[in-house]
Amino acid sequence: MEKTILTGDRPTGRLHLGHYVGSLKRRVELQNSGNYKNIYIMIADAQALTDNFDNPEKVRQNIMEVALDYLSVGLDPKISTIFIQSQIVELTELTFYYLNLVTLARLQLNPTVKSEIQMRDFKSSIPVGFLCYPISQAADITAFKADTVPVGEDQLPMIEQTREIVRKFNHIYDEVLIEPKALLPDNQVCMRLPGIDGKAKMSKSLGNCIYLSDSAEEVQKKIMSMYTDPLHLKVTDPGHIEGNTVFTYLDAFCKPEHFEKYWNEYKSLDEVKEHYQRGGLGDVKVKRFLASIVNEELEPIRARRKEYEKDIESVYDILKDGTERAKEVAAKTLCEVKNAMKLNYFDNKELITERMV
Ligand code: TRP
């Protein structure tokens, strides 16, 4: 079977390390694996408007930032189709038909939507568009007949919702849609990288992010200010690893070869952890090590970003081109959907001329 990926991000800010380990890095690996025939990467501006409808400027401003982040991490527009959601009107039409297949009660059960409602303080005045974004996300995924959706853990409820819609649609109308599977990060720590303040999630509104576009100096500074173990006051004190952000990041980024390169006093992360827990290893040393590793990972990304930034017009062309290609695919699926629903009256006269009376 042809394997197809679709995934995307809301353009509400530049992408950060959480996005990188949680999803972006994996996408590039999948792209380069050659195992996927079609790869669609969507800038979800229409979805971003569901909770930023009063600030379209913010969404618009971030489209180019996200596109630059995509290209910088190594998504290759020759292999992956990068496109802008709002320009594909077919997605809206699909959403409209899918709305019938979902109940209000079901939407209100979605744990991600629930926590977002709380976070945004919508209380009882929840915009309908926001509540329905999981349905529009089902349209995004199914329009491209994606079977694989590489995402972070928080997106699992959206994939489940999509699967339910697919099953219901195929059962009621015809076997047109594909049930997708989520592809989660394989490294447990990468599921949800904490912010530099140790809070559960890296998030722009909390101001605790390391951005892919941060300079080496900014990254160094942020890492030196990272939350560690509040009980580790003196170097000689025994330290704790659990809940210690610096070690969480090391679990996400550190590889054996980093020791020879940046810290040859140790041979493995386990040795460092052991010393830290025993006492006698200061935070500053561990942080310096982490900063070297993170900067090594970000350096090629920064370099590629610089190149693309010199030619924003070419990035614009990549988006325009990708969107045109994506639109063709979505239009084909929409056509199949409408045929299955027998809404293609003007292709087939009898659908409305054969009267029952
Ligand atoms: N909900 C995703 C996010 O918040 C963005 C998104 C929109 C998406 N449509 C999608 C992700 C389809 C995967 C598949 O980042």
Side-chain angles (χ1 to χ4, degrees):
M1 200 179 75
E2 272 190 9
K3 288 181 73 70
T4 299
I5 286 180
L6 177 124
T7 188
D9 301 272
R10 298 183 193 181
T12 51
R14 289 175 292 150
L15 300 180
H16 52 61
L17 271 191
H19 293 115
Y20 182 67
V21 297
S23 172
L24 291 172
K25 196 174 173 181
R26 186 71 174 283
R27 285 182 212 175
V28 177
E29 285 163 10
L30 294 170
Q31 168 194 270
N32 297 339
S33 75
N35 291 337
Y36 292 86
K37 174 126 196 305
N38 311 298
I39 304 172
Y40 300 97
I41 311 285
M42 182 180 76
I43 302 183
D45 63 334
Q47 185 177 112
L49 285 170
T50 64
D51 64 332
N52 290 283
F53 54 87
D54 51 354
N55 196 357
E57 169 79 11
K58 171 169 128 187
V59 175
R60 186 163 50 78
Q61 287 295 337
N62 279 301
I63 289 177
M64 190 51 83
E65 297 314 310
V66 170
L68 284 166
D69 285 327
Y70 282 168
L71 296 166
S72 318
V73 296
L75 287 173
D76 177 350
K78 288 203 262 329
I79 310 174
S80 300
T81 304
I82 304 175
F83 70 96
I84 307 178
Q85 183 187 29
S86 66
Q87 303 308 297
I88 303 194
V89 65
E90 287 78 1
L91 297 176
T92 327
E93 199 171 332
L94 280 177
T95 304
F96 192 70
Y97 296 124
Y98 294 172
L99 285 169
N100 301 327
L101 307 178
V102 182
T103 66
L104 184 56
R106 174 65 184 86
L107 284 175
Q108 285 166 333
L109 279 179
N110 185 313
T112 304
V113 172
K114 255 193 197 164
S115 76
E116 283 173 318
I117 287 172
Q118 244 171 20
M119 222 165 70
R120 286 167 182 70
D121 218 14
F122 281 146
K123 297 208 177 77
S124 57
S125 49
I126 306 163
V128 174
F130 178 79
L131 192 65
C132 294
Y133 91 73
I135 305 178
S136 122
Q137 191 154 334
D140 303 334
I141 296 168
T142 55
F144 298 91
K145 302 216 169 149
D147 48 63
T148 309
V149 187
V151 279
E153 193 186 25
D154 62 319
Q155 294 296 304
L156 284 179
M158 309 305 154
I159 313 299
E160 196 41 51
Q161 180 72 77
T162 303
R163 293 168 61 86
E164 287 172 29
I165 290 174
V166 168
R167 285 196 292 264
K168 202 154 178 187
F169 184 96
N170 287 351
H171 177 72
I172 297 175
Y173 304 109
D174 198 2
E175 292 281 329
V176 168
L177 304 176
I178 304 284
E179 248 185 87
K181 276 202 197 63
L183 198 61
L184 294 175
D186 38 21
N187 179 344
Q188 197 56 34
V189 253
C190 294
M191 289 280 193
R192 188 162 295 188
L193 198 70
I196 55 171
D197 55 359
K199 296 238 171 72
K201 202 175 166 182
M202 210 176 248
S203 131
K204 199 176 133 219
S205 48
L206 296 173
N208 61 3
C209 302
I210 293 177
Y211 292 101
L212 298 177
S213 48
D214 279 347
S215 69
E217 296 71 37
E218 280 167 314
V219 170
Q220 172 93 16
K221 219 171 108 200
K222 285 181 180 177
I223 290 180
M224 295 317 279
S225 77
M226 231 176 205
Y227 177 85
T228 58
D229 170 11
L231 302 172
H232 190 230
L233 297 173
K234 287 191 273 133
V235 171
T236 48
D237 289 339
H240 295 86
I241 304 292
E242 298 79 35
N244 186 325
T245 321
V246 177
F247 282 95
T248 309
Y249 276 51
L250 283 173
D251 282 331
F253 290 100
C254 182
K255 292 191 217 105
E257 61 264 30
H258 289 140
F259 289 95
E260 211 178 304
K261 230 163 153 183
Y262 302 115
W263 209 7
N264 57 20
E265 286 161 55
Y266 300 89
K267 280 191 193 58
S268 70
L269 189 52
D270 284 339
E271 260 184 33
V272 177
K273 285 182 179 172
E274 207 265 316
H275 191 179
Y276 190 83
Q277 284 170 310
R278 196 169 64 219
L281 175 56
D283 283 348
V284 171
K285 280 190 179 170
V286 192
K287 284 177 171 175
R288 278 208 193 108
F289 177 55
L290 175 64
S292 309
I293 295 176
V294 171
N295 270 328
E296 176 183 301
E297 184 97 23
L298 292 183
E299 202 39 55
I301 300 177
R302 281 193 283 257
R304 240 175 279 143
R305 189 177 237 272
K306 269 211 189 81
E307 285 308 304
Y308 278 112
E309 275 174 344
K310 282 190 211 146
D311 192 2
I312 292 297
E313 294 278 321
S314 77
V315 182
Y316 173 87
D317 289 339
I318 287 169
L319 293 175
K320 189 153 176 272
D321 209 59
T323 303
E324 272 164 26
R325 272 187 285 146
K327 191 177 164 71
E328 276 175 34
V329 179
K332 188 161 167 278
T333 304
L334 177 64
C335 195
E336 290 172 35
V337 160
K338 290 174 82 172
N339 288 354
M341 296 174 76
K342 302 209 190 315
L343 298 175
N344 49 329
Y345 315 129
F346 297 129
D347 296 331
N348 183 359
K349 200 185 276 182
E350 282 161 19
L351 288 174
I352 52 173
T353 53
E354 288 217 327
R355 303 173 66 213
M356 299 283 202
V357 285

